[in-house]
Amino acid sequence: MMIVPSPETTAENPVLSEVPGAPRAFPGLIPRRRFLEWMTTNNQAPARMICGGAGYGKTSALLSWLFERDQGDTTTIWITLDANLKDRGAFWLLVLHQISRAGIEVDPELERALRESEILTSLFPTLLIKQFEISGPMLLIIDNADLGADTEVATDLTRILDHVASLRLVLTTRSAPGTSRLEHRLGSLVVVSPPHLVLLDPGEITEMASRNGRILHPTDAQRLHDVTDGWPLAVRAELTALGSDAHAATAAPGTATRALGARLLERFRTSGGFSQLRRRTLAPTFSSVHLDGPLRDLLDELVEIGLGWWEDAPYRQFRLQPVLRGLLREEYELAEPQSAKAEYLMLAEMHDARDEYAAAFDAAVRAEAWPTAIRVYRRHLLTLTSRPPTAVLSVRRVPAGAQRTYPQLAFAVALDDFANGRRARAVRGLAQMLQRIEREHLTGRRVSVEDVWTQAIITMSHRLLGRHEMAGSSLRRVHRMLERVDDPHSELDPAMSLFLSHGALVSLLGDDPEYAARFLSEGGVIAPPQTSAIEQSRLYGIRALVAMLRGEVHHARKLLDIRADLPLAASTDATYTGLPAMIASARLWLEEADAVRAKQTLENTHTHAPTTDLWPLLITAAIQVHWHLHGAESALMQLDEELATREGRFSDDSVALVPLTALRMHLLLSQGRTETARQVLSASPRHGSRRFQLVRTRLELAEGNFQRAAGRATIGLRSAPGPRERQTFALFGASAALHLGESARAERLVALVVRMADEHGVRLPLTSVPRADIDQLLRGYPDLLSQLEGFSTFPPSADAAVRLTPRETVVLRTIVDHGTVAAVSAELSVSENTVKSQLRSLYRKLGAGNREAAVDAARHRGLL
């Protein structure tokens, strides 16, 4: 952990003198982004209740909100309840005092009624309402509002809110949402914040450290968040420890948090229910049923001081503050390890029966019941691997020995590392696992469920490691094994869609969308309604990506529309499982000539872009977007930068590089750099790839070799499997026929181009030939032609290609080396007039007016 003094320390915040009754703001006050957003969203509610246990920082969160808030003409007063203010008269006298401090006149009759009557008269409610009506817009903050839940103060507040529209209430409570008596009394007038809004995220922890004179590295802030659960009281304890004994805190982060928890629990250790509490904290919550007296009394005490709370859904259950629960759980595991493991095993079975799969897996891991953990993981793998990003799976607790013995657990750990951006760790884990399990060759004619699982893990591991060729061959082995596996109890059914969908991604990374489509089709991969929304989202995203790469744009749009209607969290698109859908969506926007929307869609992938194994597909989409927005030259530079950052993740002959190499050549051809494009093609180890047949055909067109282009287009069209390839080869053939004067052939091929556009919605390939060719070829199809107005990536015409004689090429290169006409004349042993004549020819061909411009143009066209 790295922490050093900050070069700047934040000055102490000023006293909130404009808010009568507000506590003094203290240094290091941190705005809670999520809390501020919630307060703003609900600013029209008559009452807002801020929930959070002890040490959650509700008061400091409200102070931060007041600093950020535009007060306008609203008067704000702050009341902090204590035991004395539970009295109705004392409470309202203090409120009137603070109103007076704010410069608002107090009704003398109301004040007299409070001071002179031992029992308030029936006129008091009317006078109170009148006072708030004449006071104008007012915000009344009541801190520690639980103390007034059962008093007449709550009745008065409810009555005022019913009658005075200009009053707003903000209340703080230690109770959980739905459990506060004050919340029930206010009813529909109040909106309640979930407690996690006032917890600190890693960024806020970093800011808190900075404001207290420290610079905290982001990874260390994440570690502090993990050990404190974002509990502000514990975060402050950790930061204090870092300041006073940085070496000890660095060596053992979380020590201060455990010490804090121990101090808070100390007063309860002599309670008769403490030992039962410690055992029951093995589970995240426990039911209110069968609680004996001592334990019930202890729970009531914990709730009263905000260290635990009752939840009502789906059944009444108690939840202890997470850091304290972790501390008690550790104590029990150390004191009675065998009993704890037995309890965990029972919890695993209970959670599994309730379909609480993550909790079941966690309990099995803590019980060290590895076969049970594997069974839960295999049966519910889809749910566990496509969980929301906030739901942590406890695979990191699986020890190295268990991972060596059980490859499926090693895979689970590595897959979780990939999903959370820990790529280096994941790569090491997968590589070690493969070394162990690939020594055992699967032989014999009988295939077991375990064999399929092992081979599927091998396939997915090769894919995640970027070994695309090995993943492809392993995938075909899985395919054959699935056809003859002996699975009488349908044990593979729950994981089948995962195998097949991962297989589709392997095929896409192997530049074979056709095999991916066939794999999904033959496997019958669907998203059944009973599966989770996240898993359905993942499957629809993969199917949409396969469809887009094949050119089935209409079908991809339908799949993405279905996905969009799923009940998903707003953050789902930015998760690891959302990547295929985002790539498909970006390509869909490109098909509609909307590169701006495509770029916005890809912004969801930024978190996982540096670590995802799908980077070849992601880069291809991102560079195409860049091409449409900034031109081919800038896109080519961006492509080189992207590949440089991933150097070492692939070999030069990797099949994953084929689409990127093809994209490079298309970018070159769009700049008229035919010579460089041909050099790239010749240098590619996989220059015989099917995809390069398209590039060769386009290259022939760009160089004006129309007869050869027509022949290549005819051959390619015969074997083109998907709509995108068929349309592209047909378009190239039509362009070549146009230049050869073969109008009937051109019209026949154009009809196929148009049919692909109508049936499948694919249009992007139409920008692969010069705009003049498209205008002439589609003159009989004005609707389709008009749809191309937004595209900006048409290449130069074939007649714009520059062909230099060998002598002109020598002169050009000599200019670069020697510059002046005299120097070139001397170098080539020819007269200066001859050099000048050759230069005039060069200038004409390159469209240049001088030597410098000629050199620049030659470089741009790839002639140097």
Side-chain angles (χ1 to χ4, degrees):
M1 181 176 296
M2 181 183 72
I3 186 164
V4 297
S6 172
E8 299 180 2
T9 56
T10 304
E12 182 177 343
N13 290 319
V15 178
L16 287 171
S17 57
E18 71 277 13
V19 181
R24 183 179 178 84
F26 45 84
L29 200 62
I30 303 300
R32 323 285 169 82
R33 174 182 49 80
R34 294 168 298 175
F35 173 72
L36 295 178
E37 290 174 356
W38 184 88
M39 291 292 285
T40 302
T41 301
N42 295 281
N43 65 340
Q44 295 303 314
R48 284 167 282 184
M49 180 172 284
I50 315 307
C51 292
Y56 271 53
K58 302 178 291 299
T59 300
S60 62
L62 276 176
L63 288 172
S64 297
W65 171 67
L66 286 177
F67 278 124
E68 299 285 336
R69 177 175 175 265
D70 180 10
Q71 300 284 346
D73 60 352
T74 300
T75 301
T76 301
I77 64 175
W78 186 302
I79 305 295
T80 301
L81 283 187
D82 57 26
N84 295 326
L85 290 177
K86 292 169 65 175
D87 176 75
R88 187 186 191 189
F91 175 83
W92 288 114
L93 277 173
L94 178 59
V95 171
L96 293 182
H97 172 69
Q98 303 296 12
I99 289 176
S100 177
R101 285 184 60 197
I104 297 173
E105 186 177 353
V106 175
D107 184 353
E109 291 186 32
L110 175 59
E111 194 169 14
R112 188 178 309 113
L114 284 169
R115 291 187 183 280
E116 297 180 358
S117 300
E118 292 184 7
I119 302 176
L120 296 176
T121 68
S122 60
L123 290 177
F124 174 73
T126 303
L127 292 172
L128 195 59
I129 290 171
K130 179 182 176 182
Q131 175 65 55
F132 279 98
E133 285 177 338
I134 65 174
S135 297
M138 180 174 291
L139 174 68
L140 176 58
I141 298 174
I142 304 178
D143 204 1
N144 202 19
D146 294 288
L147 290 177
D150 292 325
T151 67
E152 289 180 291
V153 170
T155 304
D156 292 337
L157 290 172
T158 305
R159 184 183 294 115
I160 296 171
L161 288 177
D162 281 333
H163 289 85
V164 182
S166 59
L167 177 66
R168 295 286 185 271
L169 281 186
V170 173
L171 314 160
T172 70
T173 175
R174 289 178 172 178
S175 301
T179 64
S180 167
R181 293 187 296 276
L182 186 56
E183 177 186 343
H184 291 305
R185 294 191 68 171
L186 289 170
S188 62
L189 296 172
V190 67
V191 293
V192 184
S193 74
H196 73 267
L197 294 183
V198 288
L199 296 176
L200 298 169
D201 63 26
E204 290 160 352
I205 292 175
T206 300
E207 185 176 354
M208 178 179 285
S210 175
R211 294 196 180 190
N212 285 276
R214 297 289 185 270
I215 296 176
L216 193 63
H217 192 278
T219 56
D220 295 329
Q222 182 64 58
R223 290 171 66 189
L224 285 189
H225 180 270
D226 292 343
V227 299
T228 63
D229 202 44
W231 187 22
L233 186 64
V235 172
R236 290 187 183 279
E238 291 289 339
L239 292 178
T240 300
L242 286 170
S244 61
D245 189 359
H247 177 74
T250 300
T255 301
T257 300
R258 286 189 287 273
L260 170 66
R263 289 197 300 272
L264 291 172
L265 290 171
E266 191 62 35
R267 60 177 284 194
F268 303 106
R269 291 186 181 276
T270 57
S271 168
F274 188 80
S275 61
Q276 294 183 62
L277 175 67
R278 189 170 64 174
R279 180 173 60 83
R280 292 209 180 199
T281 53
L282 296 185
T285 62
F286 54 88
S287 171
S288 61
V289 180
H290 306 309
L291 294 179
D292 62 16
L295 180 55
R296 186 180 295 276
D297 292 341
L298 174 56
L299 298 185
D300 288 341
E301 286 188 71
L302 291 167
V303 170
E304 184 176 350
I305 64 174
L307 295 180
W309 52 88
W310 288 103
E311 298 176 346
D312 289 333
Y315 44 84
R316 185 165 171 78
Q317 52 192 353
F318 179 81
R319 185 182 297 273
L320 188 65
Q321 202 283 336
V323 170
L324 300 184
R325 179 196 168 221
L327 179 63
L328 289 178
R329 187 169 53 184
E330 288 180 12
E331 288 183 7
Y332 186 62
E333 290 172 354
L334 288 172
E336 303 179 50
Q338 296 308 315
S339 297
K341 289 179 182 178
E343 293 275 355
Y344 277 130
L345 186 55
M346 288 189 292
L347 283 173
E349 299 296 341
M350 181 194 73
H351 287 305
D352 195 19
R354 292 179 179 175
D355 294 337
E356 297 166 347
Y357 310 132
F361 181 79
D362 176 74
V365 169
R366 291 178 180 275
E368 298 183 3
W370 307 124
T372 301
I374 291 171
R375 174 175 57 81
V376 172
Y377 189 77
R378 289 193 346 187
R379 284 176 52 197
H380 309 300
L381 189 146
L382 293 178
T383 302
L384 294 175
T385 56
S386 58
R387 68 192 187 282
T390 53
V392 178
L393 192 65
S394 58
V395 292
R396 299 185 73 180
R397 293 180 58 89
V398 178
Q403 293 184 50
R404 285 192 294 270
T405 305
Y406 302 100
Q408 289 163 35
L409 290 176
F411 177 76
V413 173
L415 188 61
D416 195 70
D417 284 335
F418 263 115
N420 288 280
R422 300 183 290 266
R423 187 179 187 279
R425 176 180 174 139
V427 167
R428 288 195 301 271
L430 287 178
Q432 293 169 2
M433 181 201 71
L434 284 174
Q435 287 179 355
R436 290 192 298 270
I437 64 177
E438 287 190 319
R439 295 171 189 156
E440 302 176 8
H441 298 284
L442 301 175
T443 58
R445 302 180 64 180
R446 184 184 179 91
V447 178
S448 68
V449 170
E450 200 67 31
D451 293 337
V452 175
W453 263 102
T454 301
Q455 192 62 48
I457 285 175
I458 291 172
T459 303
M460 289 186 279
S461 299
H462 281 313
R463 175 202 136 193
L464 293 169
L465 290 170
R467 303 171 182 175
H468 303 109
E469 293 86 352
M470 298 175 73
S473 60
S474 182
L475 172 65
R476 287 184 283 275
R477 186 178 299 173
V478 172
H479 206 166
R480 292 192 297 270
M481 292 172 71
L482 288 173
E483 294 174 350
R484 57 192 181 93
V485 62
D486 185 14
D487 186 18
H489 304 295
S490 301
E491 295 177 60
L492 289 172
D493 287 355
M496 189 62 71
S497 68
L498 181 77
F499 293 162
L500 298 175
S501 57
H502 271 271
L505 291 176
V506 168
S507 299
L508 293 183
L509 290 168
D511 195 33
D512 195 349
E514 303 309 317
Y515 188 74
R518 189 168 77 251
F519 201 56
L520 292 176
S521 175
E522 290 180 4
V525 174
I526 58 173
Q530 67 268 21
T531 58
S532 68
I534 294 179
E535 172 55 17
Q536 293 183 59
S537 163
R538 189 185 71 84
L539 290 175
Y540 281 121
I542 292 174
R543 292 174 61 198
L545 180 57
V546 171
M548 280 301 306
L549 293 177
R550 295 190 71 243
E552 297 172 320
V553 178
H554 291 330
H555 183 48
R557 182 181 289 108
K558 290 179 181 178
L559 292 169
L560 290 172
D561 286 345
I562 294 172
R563 179 183 180 274
D565 290 336
L566 294 172
L568 298 169
S571 60
T572 302
D573 287 347
T575 63
Y576 182 75
T577 56
L579 286 171
M582 293 303 98
I583 298 172
S585 297
R587 297 186 71 110
L588 181 61
W589 287 118
L590 282 179
E591 289 287 350
E592 298 180 2
D594 194 340
V596 173
R597 292 287 294 273
K599 181 180 179 181
Q600 292 171 348
T601 300
L602 289 180
E603 288 174 357
N604 288 310
T605 68
H606 288 175
T607 300
H608 297 286
T611 58
T612 177
D613 60 299
L614 300 180
W615 63 265
L617 303 175
L618 183 57
I619 287 181
T620 301
I623 296 304
Q624 287 181 325
V625 170
H626 193 96
W627 181 7
H628 283 257
L629 290 174
H630 305 292
E633 186 174 2
S634 178
L636 186 58
M637 293 174 60
Q638 184 69 22
L639 176 59
D640 289 339
E641 291 176 8
E642 293 284 356
L643 291 177
T645 62
R646 290 164 175 81
E647 189 174 2
R649 290 200 197 177
F650 49 84
S651 60
D652 291 340
D653 65 342
S654 172
V655 67
L657 284 180
V658 171
L660 295 170
T661 304
L663 177 58
R664 175 186 295 279
M665 287 186 279
H666 285 305
L667 290 169
L668 291 168
L669 292 174
S670 291
Q671 299 175 63
R673 300 170 61 180
T674 56
E675 291 294 331
T676 306
R678 189 171 288 282
Q679 291 170 10
V680 171
L681 178 62
S682 300
S684 174
R686 295 182 174 272
H687 57 269
S689 167
R690 173 182 55 81
R691 181 181 288 268
F692 287 158
Q693 298 306 313
L694 279 170
V695 182
R696 281 193 174 87
T697 308
R698 183 176 179 181
L699 182 58
E700 300 290 0
L701 280 175
E703 292 182 334
N705 300 321
F706 301 118
Q707 197 67 53
R708 280 194 285 186
R712 288 189 181 279
T714 299
I715 296 171
L717 191 56
R718 289 173 186 162
S719 58
R724 189 177 299 279
E725 282 194 21
R726 295 187 66 195
Q727 186 188 66
T728 309
F729 274 121
L731 178 67
F732 289 164
S735 179
L738 176 68
H739 288 276
L740 292 171
E742 299 175 358
S743 57
R745 175 180 170 79
E747 290 176 5
R748 187 170 65 254
L749 290 171
V750 165
L752 178 58
V753 169
V754 174
R755 191 169 82 243
M756 292 294 102
D758 290 342
E759 292 181 2
H760 300 285
V762 59
R763 295 190 295 271
L764 197 56
L766 300 180
T767 65
S768 301
V769 298
R771 183 59 196 254
D773 288 12
I774 284 292
D775 289 340
Q776 194 166 351
L777 291 169
L778 296 183
R779 64 182 184 277
Y781 304 93
D783 289 344
L784 180 57
L785 191 59
S786 67
Q787 295 172 19
L788 304 180
E789 293 301 323
F791 291 97
S792 59
T793 57
F794 294 96
S797 301
D799 55 13
V802 174
R803 302 178 186 83
L804 301 182
T805 65
R807 189 61 181 177
E808 288 171 339
T809 300
V810 171
V811 172
L812 178 63
R813 290 173 178 166
T814 308
I815 288 176
V816 174
D817 294 333
H818 299 277
T820 66
V821 171
V824 172
S825 172
E827 177 68 19
L828 298 180
S829 301
V830 296
S831 69
E832 292 188 12
N833 288 334
T834 300
V835 173
K836 291 177 181 179
S837 175
Q838 292 169 336
L839 284 176
R840 284 194 294 272
S841 176
L842 272 172
Y843 295 165
R844 185 178 63 256
K845 289 184 176 182
L846 295 172
N850 53 50
R851 290 191 297 275
E852 290 77 12
V855 170
D856 287 344
R859 283 177 174 151
H860 179 76
R861 294 172 180 270
L863 300 175
L864 284 175

